[in-house]
Amino acid sequence: MPETTDPAVHVLLPWKGLDERHGPWPSNVRVHIWDGRTPEDELPAEALESTGLWVMPYAVPDAERLLPRLPAVRAVQSLSAGVEKLLPVMPEGAKLYNGRGLHDASTAEHALGLILAAQRDLPRWVADQQAGRWEPHFTRSLAGARVAVIGYGSIGQALERRLLACEAEVVRIARRPRPEEDVHAVTELPQLLPDVDIAVLVLPETPATTGMFGPDELAAMPDGALVVNVGRGRTLKTGALLDETRSGRLRAALDVTDPEPLPGDHPLRKQPGVLITPHVAGGSATFRPRAERLIVEQVRRYAAGEPLVNAFPRP
Ligand SMILES: NC(=O)c1ccc[n+]([C@@H]2O[C@H](COP(=O)([O-])OP(=O)(O)OC[C@H]3O[C@@H](n4cnc5c(N)ncnc54)[C@H](OP(=O)(O)O)[C@@H]3O)[C@@H](O)[C@H]2O)c1
């Protein structure tokens, strides 16, 4: 008797019903579902033994605990753009793919919202509304402001499109210079920062970016400037930011902080001119349809033996 081999490819997905919305799966695909909340012991043995492509559930802390139980896994798709926590736990022989692009619209929109709220004093007006005050004053604006986008990648470029529509001027900054695209190298920050009104950090957390924006960078910014962080909290030194905001010299609008979650009594919460949202920039209604399209594309490619998109790190 010749040995029989299973011609099927097994994929483990976080959501049911994608085929109902996007068309049938390729005939050689066997789909298993794990939402990250159901105990993993309830997964069928076949799903654990045979999964080759695992699409991780989104925003489920510790979902990566399943990795050691997937001996056949060759491709791990995260739906997050930031995958720093997965790098140390990736099994040998498996490739990592990230959610680059899925969060661009959502994160850029949130960054724009933070900037506009800070420039137009929205927290003040909301407080006045609650307190029954009517005390108008002139505010800053985004139109005419010079904004450094530090991390001119997928999200940074989506943010730039929104900033330009608001008549801001954008200074593009990335790891390496790209003169043909007018992108500056991060090493030029000391020369660039004194002339910006707003600095937006859209950086991944890596050994090179951790603590990258600290006392020197903050000190180089002009009085009254706004620091925005929608990338990762640890890229901005919290202590240095506290020093600059306590005195009221700089303002800040942060979707990500160090630490996270930010304790209820953390001094950053009470600083004048500091606006904080709890790491929600990427998680909005724009995410799900984009994530579904990526999953369907990755399953199709995996089933056909084609290279997947969104390899991390980017080749
Ligand atoms: N707040 C949220 O909810 C939320 C949502 C989604 C994503 N994020 C965060 O946003 C980050 C960026 O996402 P993305 O999709 O835009 O990533 P991306 O397309 O890979 O872009 C990253 C950018 O950062 C630059 N960069 C990397 N290392 C650097 C360094 N050492 N110095 C200066 N610049 C550096 C890159 O420069 P090069 O172009 O030269 O490579 C690139 O321009 C993610 O990694 C994630 O942590 C947060």
Side-chain angles (χ1 to χ4, degrees):
M1 284 275 287
E3 231 178 80
T4 54
T5 52
D6 181 3
V9 298
H10 291 256
V11 303
L12 180 58
L13 309 182
W15 301 313
K16 285 183 196 160
L18 270 68
D19 50 340
E20 288 157 25
R21 290 186 287 283
H22 301 273
W25 296 115
S27 56
N28 59 335
V29 169
R30 301 288 171 272
V31 175
H32 309 278
I33 304 292
W34 187 58
D35 63 8
R37 287 174 193 88
T38 328
E40 49 268 40
D41 288 334
E42 289 178 22
L43 274 167
E46 188 187 43
L48 290 171
E49 283 157 18
S50 309
T51 288
L53 163 63
W54 179 32
V55 180
M56 299 181 67
Y58 179 61
V60 174
D62 291 341
E64 60 273 15
R65 68 184 184 277
L66 195 66
L67 273 175
R69 301 188 62 179
L70 301 175
V73 77
R74 295 293 167 267
V76 176
Q77 171 71 60
S78 166
L79 298 177
S80 294
V83 286
E84 65 277 358
K85 281 193 196 146
L86 292 175
L87 290 173
V89 296
M90 280 295 293
E92 224 166 276
K95 282 191 172 169
L96 179 60
Y97 302 85
N98 76 348
R100 186 170 194 256
L102 301 182
H103 306 272
D104 292 4
S106 184
T107 309
E109 185 174 277
H110 194 83
L112 181 66
L114 287 173
I115 293 168
L116 287 169
Q119 294 298 92
R120 301 306 303 256
D121 284 354
L122 291 194
R124 158 77 188 266
W125 305 133
V126 171
D128 282 4
Q129 177 189 342
Q130 312 288 341
R133 281 191 298 267
W134 186 275
E135 294 172 3
H137 64 247
F138 258 53
T139 67
R140 296 177 172 86
S141 67
L142 174 55
R146 182 183 280 219
V147 186
V149 175
I150 304 171
Y152 186 70
S154 199
I155 295 169
Q157 290 168 38
L159 175 60
E160 179 187 62
R161 292 192 288 277
R162 287 154 177 82
L163 293 170
L164 293 177
C166 293
E167 300 181 36
E169 187 190 335
V170 173
V171 182
R172 304 165 170 176
I173 299 166
R175 201 169 7 177
R176 286 178 290 271
R178 304 200 289 271
E180 67 289 357
E181 292 176 56
D182 205 17
V183 176
H184 299 270
V186 68
T187 48
E188 295 171 60
L189 273 179
Q191 293 80 51
L192 296 170
L193 286 173
D195 290 324
V196 306
D197 304 294
I198 301 170
V200 189
L201 305 182
V202 203
L203 292 164
E205 183 179 320
T206 68
T209 61
T210 301
M212 199 180 91
F213 217 78
D216 294 346
E217 289 70 24
L218 292 166
M221 296 183 73
D223 289 356
L226 174 70
V227 183
V228 180
N229 194 0
V230 294
R232 280 292 183 264
R234 278 198 271 265
T235 61
L236 172 61
K237 283 194 175 150
T238 303
L241 183 67
L242 274 171
D243 290 343
E244 292 280 13
T245 51
R246 195 176 290 122
S247 65
R249 200 188 76 79
L250 295 183
R251 299 170 297 129
L254 312 169
D255 181 56
V256 289
T257 57
D258 178 25
E260 261 182 46
L262 197 65
D265 59 353
H266 195 283
L268 205 47
R269 289 181 179 268
K270 295 278 190 309
Q271 294 298 294
V274 176
L275 173 58
I276 299 169
T277 55
H279 200 147
V280 290
S284 75
T286 65
F287 164 71
R288 177 79 182 235
R290 287 168 169 77
E292 288 198 2
R293 285 197 294 274
L294 176 67
I295 294 172
V296 167
E297 176 65 12
Q298 297 292 55
V299 172
R300 188 197 65 72
R301 285 170 173 262
Y302 190 73
E306 294 172 12
L308 307 195
V309 297
N310 277 20
F312 187 92
R314 268 184 288 150

